[in-house]
């Protein structure tokens, strides 16, 4: 049995596969398996992988079911005690897998640990050093755009970016898998939030390095698909993870935060998509159950709330 399993979701990512798979071939740690979960690609991704990387085990889905279903299929089919999720548009440093494996083992209460993600085309700049969520309803990547010598400390974060994160497989059985209603976007914040409710931790590992192209599947940082799904999933995530009284407590800040975002996307010509996503978020929320509130998690909810307030200041002043 391998010590860990690397799961790579893929949708028409042929142009990136050589980069990510070659970087995994160069790893100093060798005791891991690789699973490529393909979402119905039509660009011969699977054929290329089978011919050039026969070590890679493939799971071929017949259609594009989104990030969440793809990684869930990979997690369930994996053999390792730990599962390392990796975007298809990254390249990893040679010690990356080892750093991730040793990092999560240093933190016995960790659900997940994230690598330091640097920009592929500007390798002196950070792309993502841990995800935060705040009482304004904003999710944001810590350190984004900063020089790479920032964020040098190994420390807990609100959630981890699933583009380069390792998870304890056993905890998925307790808290559930990635919510496939999300399809893509904020699914990693959602499951990190859920883990926090259950009392688990998420950590940032600065010595584990990957280089991330970014928007390798969606095509750009701001587009109609991403804007609509992000606002939709944000509403759904709040509904699902916050007890009703906590929603009321945060409502003034949430209304302000969503209003600012609506204005921001309107200026970019995407206001209609952002508003449509909010509407759709309320619609799907009515169809799904909330994360069941349990009194034994009350302390965890209070810790999360304090962090949601603190992350408002962190967003602007750190």
């Amino acid at each position: 049995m391998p010590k860990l399993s690397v799961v790579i979701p893929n949708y028409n990512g042929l142009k990136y596969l050589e980069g990510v798979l070659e970087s995994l071939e160069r790893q100093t740690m060798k005791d891991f398996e690789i699973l490529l979960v393909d979402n119905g690609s039509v660009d011969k991704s699977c054929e290329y992988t089978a011919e050039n990387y026969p070590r890679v085990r493939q799971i071929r889905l017949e259609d594009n079911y989104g990030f969440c279903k793809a990684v869930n299929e990979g997690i369930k089919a994996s053999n390792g005690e730990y599962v390392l999720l990796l975007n298809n548009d990254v390249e990893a440093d040679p010690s990356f897998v080892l750093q991730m494996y040793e990092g999560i083992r240093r933190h016995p209460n960790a659900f997940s640990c994230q690598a330091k993600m640097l920009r592929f085309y500007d390798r002196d700049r950070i792309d993502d050093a841990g995800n935060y969520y705040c009482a304004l309803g904003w999710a944001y990547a810590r350190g984004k755009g900063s020089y790479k010598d920032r964020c040098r400390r190994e420390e807990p974060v609100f959630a981890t970016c699933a583009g380069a994160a390792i998870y304890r497989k056993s905890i998925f059985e307790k808290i559930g898998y990635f919510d496939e209603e999300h399809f893509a976007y904020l699914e990693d914040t959602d499951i990190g939030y859920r883990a926090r409710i259950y009392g688990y931790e998420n950590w940032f590992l600065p010595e584990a390095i990957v280089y991330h192209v970014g928007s390798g599947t969606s095509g750009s940082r701001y587009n109609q698909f991403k804007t609509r799904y992000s606002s939709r999933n944000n509403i759904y995530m709040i509904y699902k993870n916050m007890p009703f009284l906590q929603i009321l407590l945060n409502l003034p800040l949430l209304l302000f935060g969503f209003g600012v975002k609506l204005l921001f996307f309107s200026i970019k010509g995407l206001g209609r998509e952002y508003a449509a996503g909010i509407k759709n978020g309320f619609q799907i929320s009515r169809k799904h159950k909330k994360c069941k509130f349990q009194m034994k998690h009350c302390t965890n909810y209070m810790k999360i709330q304090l962090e949601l307030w603190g992350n408002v200041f962190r967003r602007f002043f750190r």
Side-chain angles (χ1 to χ4, degrees):
M1 301 291 285
K3 290 182 177 179
L4 63 86
S5 303
V6 178
V7 174
I8 304 171
N10 179 69
Y11 175 64
N12 290 336
L14 176 62
K15 64 182 178 180
Y16 300 115
L17 289 179
E18 180 179 4
V20 63
L21 294 176
E22 281 295 325
S23 71
L24 290 175
E25 291 290 327
R26 296 191 295 267
Q27 292 298 304
T28 55
M29 178 179 172
K30 303 296 184 182
D31 190 7
F32 63 92
E33 64 173 349
I34 306 172
L35 291 84
L36 181 78
V37 187
D38 188 78
N39 260 323
S41 295
V42 294
D43 65 349
K44 298 190 181 301
S45 290
C46 295
E47 292 81 354
Y48 170 82
T49 303
E51 180 178 351
N52 294 280
Y53 301 95
R55 169 192 175 188
V56 176
R57 182 152 56 103
Q58 293 192 40
I59 300 173
R60 301 189 185 189
L61 306 180
E62 66 273 16
D63 203 351
N64 182 12
Y65 293 107
F67 178 90
C68 296
K69 182 173 178 60
V71 298
N72 283 345
E73 293 295 324
I75 293 166
K76 292 172 185 177
S78 65
N79 295 311
E81 180 182 359
Y82 305 98
V83 179
L84 200 167
L85 301 186
L86 199 60
N87 276 4
N88 62 359
D89 62 342
V90 304
E91 291 185 12
D93 266 6
S95 65
F96 163 71
V97 172
L98 179 63
Q99 292 287 347
M100 296 292 276
Y101 175 72
E102 291 182 342
I104 196 166
R105 287 169 61 85
R106 281 196 296 273
H107 303 288
N109 196 43
F111 166 57
S112 68
C113 295
Q114 177 192 328
K116 178 183 279 190
M117 303 175 74
L118 303 178
R119 293 178 177 177
F120 188 88
Y121 296 112
D122 186 4
R123 298 192 174 200
D124 287 330
R125 299 278 184 176
I126 294 173
D127 188 59
D128 193 312
N131 289 350
Y132 284 98
Y133 193 69
C134 72
L136 293 169
W138 297 354
Y140 58 93
R142 186 173 68 121
K144 195 174 189 71
S146 302
Y147 282 107
K148 65 180 182 181
D149 58 353
R150 285 198 62 193
C151 304
R152 292 177 292 182
R153 192 171 52 145
E154 186 166 308
E155 58 186 312
V157 291
F158 187 86
T160 54
C161 174
I166 188 169
Y167 300 82
R168 274 191 168 84
K169 187 177 178 181
S170 60
I171 295 179
F172 284 106
E173 299 295 331
K174 299 176 183 178
I175 70 172
Y177 290 79
F178 284 87
D179 188 339
E180 294 178 15
E181 186 61 63
H182 277 264
F183 190 83
Y185 304 118
L186 292 177
E187 72 290 328
D188 43 12
T189 304
D190 171 67
I191 200 165
Y193 196 142
R194 203 181 327 145
R196 298 288 306 279
I197 291 172
Y198 279 76
Y200 296 108
E201 301 165 345
N202 303 297
W203 282 78
F204 168 66
L205 305 176
E207 300 302 317
I209 305 292
V210 298
Y211 304 96
H212 184 217
V213 174
S215 302
T217 296
S218 64
S220 62
R221 184 176 179 184
Y222 300 117
N223 56 63
Q224 292 182 353
F225 176 83
K226 186 173 182 178
T227 300
R228 182 175 292 217
Y229 264 90
S230 294
S231 59
R232 165 193 185 271
N233 291 346
N234 202 355
I235 293 292
Y236 176 47
M237 182 174 68
I238 292 167
Y239 161 79
K240 188 174 66 171
N241 292 303
M242 284 190 188
F244 181 68
L245 290 178
Q246 190 179 16
I247 293 176
L248 287 181
L249 177 65
N250 289 301
L251 190 58
L253 286 174
L254 290 172
L255 290 174
F256 177 78
F258 277 95
V260 170
K261 286 281 190 175
L262 179 59
L263 176 61
F264 172 82
F265 283 105
S266 296
I267 292 171
K268 290 188 172 293
L270 294 167
R272 187 186 298 266
E273 285 71 25
Y274 188 81
I278 291 175
K279 180 181 178 182
N280 191 217
F282 283 109
Q283 290 171 342
I284 64 169
S285 294
R286 289 198 295 267
K287 300 176 183 178
H288 294 274
K289 294 182 179 179
K290 293 175 70 68
C291 183
K292 186 177 179 181
F293 176 81
Q294 300 180 61
M295 282 301 298
K296 65 180 180 179
H297 296 152
C298 206
T299 301
N300 299 331
Y301 280 110
M302 289 189 286
K303 289 179 180 178
I304 290 169
Q305 183 57 51
L306 291 174
E307 191 169 343
L308 293 176
W309 283 330
N311 287 342
V312 174
F313 295 94
R314 184 191 297 267
R315 174 66 181 83
F316 296 105
F317 300 113
R318 185 175 173 181

